[in-house]
Amino acid sequence: MRKWWKQAVLLLMVAVAGLGLGRIRFNTNILEILPGEMPEVVGLKSYYEVFSLDEELVVLIEADGESSEPLGEAAEELAGLLKEAGVAKGARWKPRWMDRPEGMAELLAWLWLNGESKDAVALVDSLSEVEVEATMLEAMERVATSLDGGEMMISAHDPLGFLSHPSMAAMFESAEEGGEGFESAGGTAHLFFVDAPEPLPGYKEAEAWIGKVRAVADPWAEEKGLKLGWTGEPAFQAEIGSAMERDMTKTVGVTSTMIALMFLLMQRRLGLLLGMAGVIGMVFLTALGLAGWYYEELSIMSAGFAAILIGLAVDYGVLICQEAKLAGHDERAIRRATTRSIGWAAATTAAVFFALNLSGLPGIAQLGTIVAFGVIAGAVLMLNFYVPWVAWRGAGRPSNSHKASWVPGRNGALGLTVGFALLVAGVLGFKGLPGVEFDRGLLRPRDSTAMAAFEAIQKHFPAWQTPSLKLVIEGGSDEEVAARVIEAGKRLEVLQAERPDLVQRIDLPSGWWPSPERVAMNRNSLEVLAKSRDRILAVAEEVGFSEEGVALGKSVIEALPRVLAMDPSTVPADEAAAEVLRGFVSKNEEGGTLLGSVELSQPEDLSAEDFASLRRFSSEGIHLAGWTLLKPAVLPLVKKDLTDVFLPMAGLMVVMLSLVFRNVKDVSLALGAMLLSGGLLLASMRLTGIEWNFLNIAATPLLLGTGLDYTIHILLAVRRTGGDLKVVWNGTGKAVLFCGTSTAIGFGSLAFASNDALASLGKVAVLGILISMVVSILLLPGIRGKGR
């Protein structure tokens, strides 16, 4: 009766854990797998959180050579279709200031009011009663003589000089490299921005919205003979999230099918398979539910935990079935044969997986914790539910201990051990250890259509190529941001002076941040300018400028009174102005963020010295952000994990093995087996060209855990049978063979994951698991058992 109460309590606990499923969300932000306190990660997060638009889809419209319709007109037609279908809140195919020039005029007026006093004084002096005619004549001469088309156009449409503000330089660079910023220089591509009609809280909503947009746009593009590319934050979010979901379902499906077929081939009992499937379902529910309660969000790296967990949980079930062939329907006998082995194996494996929390990479730590939850749940549920099930159903055939053993005797095992050791020494001696790499391409889905579209945009619009680093300056108040802008300027001067070979260009748009002090200094000068409207325009007309030529200057002067009446701590709210401002400044009630850039001479090949110089620049509220900085930042963490994770884990292994075996001989054999398995893994990686990266480094403790499992099972079986190799092989040996193969299948299915980093974990783990299995089965019984 007590047993049923125990099972009822366990079922209740499974149900409570399972309620956590409703809390789980996939976090598609690849930065979440990296340390949140790392300055480079902080900078990138700040940049994307403030300046990346989560609800704006970027569409690239390309002509295929057959369409003669201007792409701008086609984009305007598509905007109308999307709005009519109700799938877009708004759509932009040209700069807003083209429809609202008063917005651009207001922005220019604000920049002059908010800029350096010397610039405002110089502008007002150039348009004073004494200098205005000379200024206009000089502009007219530039129109007539300039060989630079851009300079000629500016002089023709801005003789008053409002576009000469220093803060406009970044805008002109963008316009020169990409037409108006929407149409490519050759006219073969056009950008189109679509705003979602409602918030997109997750990847499912983003995927559904993009599907609705494409249902309207794709048939239209096919009819027009145009090609559409889809990118932007919603596209990446939908692509990564759906890929994670597919990875979980696909790897679980492949793993479950393969293991089920192997189990049927080995046990030949459908009832045992159904019982195991039920228990594994409870294990999976418990692990995923606990993850929901503990984490709520699963990172992109944790999507592969399901396949790993199935492979590990099946091990315990197979061991129970194999021992049941000796014990028959005697439940107590089955428990005596399996509880200690499974209990200690689960404890050591879970401890090793929990030790992944020592890693400096949060994604790896989360993966280890979730699998550890599942390993503990697997052992408890298998012993309490599957043992009675197997005892009731029966494990089938009697023991095959009379059959010959494939396990070599002591001489053969020692010979193989020496051979393996020489192989490891030879490979690592001549070729060295596997290298360490970090490529951000590992983080995104394989064959990413969103990335392909983004790269196509970079090809057509060079301004979208971002070799420069983003300079992110943020603060909790206007004063704090302003102080940090000044501090950043000083640091940039020092950086450029110390490393002129590293820093090619600096853009610190201090004039884009509201400054009540500068406004107060410039107010009187610009008030004078505003009152001089009629005089200035009359001189321009006398010199020969048309009404079109002075339209911009006239609009700016007329906007000055509105700007002078603004709160000096705010920015223009007009849509056209806001479109430009969002590329430089984000303002909120407390403070905000200013965005600049630092262009490096060799952004993709930073030395340790280069990285150290750039890292010294960053501090609280002042960040250099760029993917190119992640490689030199993360690589030391990967190398550090080899010591910070592996060494404590090695100590933990010695303690756990001492508790299990309680004698020096077996502990030494187990450690020797693990050491040889590790050497063979390194040699195999070197021969196959696999390198360590920020994720597959997690395979090291994972393999220690599974290798410990196999070692404990085999050595305890040898001791329990008195060293009879036939009994060991036909019982625990075959179980470990199945366990190793099933776990390898579990990890191997990750090789088909859409994420290359997750796939690399699968490849390294398969090699390590198969090596650990072979060492445990072929070497340990012979060395520890009886017979030569």
mmCIF file of all heavy atoms in Angstrom, residues 549-563:
data_model
loop_
_atom_site.group_PDB
_atom_site.id
_atom_site.type_symbol
_atom_site.label_atom_id
_atom_site.label_comp_id
_atom_site.label_asym_id
_atom_site.label_seq_id
_atom_site.Cartn_x
_atom_site.Cartn_y
_atom_site.Cartn_z
ATOM 1 N N GLY A 549 14.774 77.319 -55.253
ATOM 2 C CA GLY A 549 16.111 77.283 -54.681
ATOM 3 C C GLY A 549 16.166 77.735 -53.241
ATOM 4 O O GLY A 549 17.015 77.273 -52.477
ATOM 5 N N VAL A 550 15.273 78.653 -52.856
ATOM 6 C CA VAL A 550 15.293 79.147 -51.474
ATOM 7 C C VAL A 550 14.197 78.520 -50.622
ATOM 8 O O VAL A 550 14.011 78.909 -49.457
ATOM 9 C CB VAL A 550 15.149 80.690 -51.450
ATOM 10 C CG1 VAL A 550 16.325 81.343 -52.137
ATOM 11 C CG2 VAL A 550 13.827 81.131 -52.059
ATOM 12 N N ALA A 551 13.479 77.524 -51.170
ATOM 13 C CA ALA A 551 12.352 76.930 -50.443
ATOM 14 C C ALA A 551 12.806 76.313 -49.124
ATOM 15 O O ALA A 551 12.148 76.479 -48.087
ATOM 16 C CB ALA A 551 11.651 75.896 -51.315
ATOM 17 N N LEU A 552 13.925 75.581 -49.153
ATOM 18 C CA LEU A 552 14.402 74.944 -47.927
ATOM 19 C C LEU A 552 14.771 75.993 -46.885
ATOM 20 O O LEU A 552 14.356 75.910 -45.721
ATOM 21 C CB LEU A 552 15.604 74.049 -48.229
ATOM 22 C CG LEU A 552 16.281 73.417 -47.002
ATOM 23 C CD1 LEU A 552 15.321 72.483 -46.291
ATOM 24 C CD2 LEU A 552 17.557 72.679 -47.395
ATOM 25 N N GLY A 553 15.565 76.982 -47.277
ATOM 26 C CA GLY A 553 15.975 78.019 -46.337
ATOM 27 C C GLY A 553 14.790 78.779 -45.777
ATOM 28 O O GLY A 553 14.751 79.104 -44.581
ATOM 29 N N LYS A 554 13.828 79.067 -46.632
ATOM 30 C CA LYS A 554 12.620 79.766 -46.176
ATOM 31 C C LYS A 554 11.890 78.947 -45.128
ATOM 32 O O LYS A 554 11.447 79.470 -44.100
ATOM 33 C CB LYS A 554 11.718 80.026 -47.383
ATOM 34 C CG LYS A 554 10.403 80.705 -47.044
ATOM 35 C CD LYS A 554 9.557 80.871 -48.306
ATOM 36 C CE LYS A 554 8.199 81.476 -47.974
ATOM 37 N NZ LYS A 554 7.346 81.607 -49.192
ATOM 38 N N SER A 555 11.759 77.617 -45.361
ATOM 39 C CA SER A 555 11.063 76.735 -44.415
ATOM 40 C C SER A 555 11.791 76.671 -43.080
ATOM 41 O O SER A 555 11.167 76.644 -42.018
ATOM 42 C CB SER A 555 10.934 75.327 -45.008
ATOM 43 O OG SER A 555 10.169 75.340 -46.189
ATOM 44 N N VAL A 556 13.134 76.653 -43.119
ATOM 45 C CA VAL A 556 13.900 76.574 -41.878
ATOM 46 C C VAL A 556 13.725 77.855 -41.062
ATOM 47 O O VAL A 556 13.507 77.805 -39.844
ATOM 48 C CB VAL A 556 15.395 76.324 -42.171
ATOM 49 C CG1 VAL A 556 16.202 76.373 -40.880
ATOM 50 C CG2 VAL A 556 15.595 74.976 -42.853
ATOM 51 N N ILE A 557 13.811 79.003 -41.734
ATOM 52 C CA ILE A 557 13.654 80.273 -41.010
ATOM 53 C C ILE A 557 12.252 80.365 -40.416
ATOM 54 O O ILE A 557 12.077 80.816 -39.269
ATOM 55 C CB ILE A 557 13.924 81.461 -41.953
ATOM 56 C CG1 ILE A 557 15.392 81.455 -42.387
ATOM 57 C CG2 ILE A 557 13.587 82.783 -41.269
ATOM 58 C CD1 ILE A 557 15.745 82.536 -43.411
ATOM 59 N N GLU A 558 11.245 79.889 -41.161
ATOM 60 C CA GLU A 558 9.872 79.933 -40.658
ATOM 61 C C GLU A 558 9.653 78.933 -39.521
ATOM 62 O O GLU A 558 8.741 79.101 -38.707
ATOM 63 C CB GLU A 558 8.894 79.669 -41.801
ATOM 64 C CG GLU A 558 8.857 80.810 -42.820
ATOM 65 C CD GLU A 558 7.978 80.485 -44.013
ATOM 66 O OE1 GLU A 558 7.592 79.292 -44.154
ATOM 67 O OE2 GLU A 558 7.693 81.397 -44.815
ATOM 68 N N ALA A 559 10.472 77.876 -39.481
ATOM 69 C CA ALA A 559 10.358 76.885 -38.399
ATOM 70 C C ALA A 559 11.049 77.341 -37.117
ATOM 71 O O ALA A 559 10.776 76.801 -36.041
ATOM 72 C CB ALA A 559 10.943 75.545 -38.843
ATOM 73 N N LEU A 560 11.926 78.323 -37.226
ATOM 74 C CA LEU A 560 12.691 78.755 -36.052
ATOM 75 C C LEU A 560 11.801 79.202 -34.890
ATOM 76 O O LEU A 560 12.057 78.814 -33.739
ATOM 77 C CB LEU A 560 13.663 79.876 -36.440
ATOM 78 C CG LEU A 560 14.990 79.421 -37.060
ATOM 79 C CD1 LEU A 560 15.783 80.607 -37.577
ATOM 80 C CD2 LEU A 560 15.818 78.638 -36.037
ATOM 81 N N PRO A 561 10.758 80.008 -35.115
ATOM 82 C CA PRO A 561 9.917 80.392 -33.973
ATOM 83 C C PRO A 561 9.287 79.196 -33.261
ATOM 84 O O PRO A 561 9.187 79.176 -32.026
ATOM 85 C CB PRO A 561 8.845 81.279 -34.617
ATOM 86 C CG PRO A 561 9.503 81.839 -35.842
ATOM 87 C CD PRO A 561 10.373 80.722 -36.348
ATOM 88 N N ARG A 562 8.888 78.162 -34.025
ATOM 89 C CA ARG A 562 8.292 76.972 -33.399
ATOM 90 C C ARG A 562 9.340 76.234 -32.566
ATOM 91 O O ARG A 562 9.062 75.762 -31.458
ATOM 92 C CB ARG A 562 7.720 76.024 -34.456
ATOM 93 C CG ARG A 562 6.623 76.621 -35.308
ATOM 94 C CD ARG A 562 5.852 75.531 -36.066
ATOM 95 N NE ARG A 562 6.702 74.682 -36.880
ATOM 96 C CZ ARG A 562 7.042 74.966 -38.146
ATOM 97 N NH1 ARG A 562 6.610 76.104 -38.709
ATOM 98 N NH2 ARG A 562 7.784 74.149 -38.850
ATOM 99 N N VAL A 563 10.540 76.135 -33.099
ATOM 100 C CA VAL A 563 11.608 75.425 -32.393
ATOM 101 C C VAL A 563 12.060 76.208 -31.166
ATOM 102 O O VAL A 563 12.327 75.633 -30.100
ATOM 103 C CB VAL A 563 12.794 75.175 -33.348
ATOM 104 C CG1 VAL A 563 13.984 74.598 -32.591
ATOM 105 C CG2 VAL A 563 12.384 74.226 -34.470
#
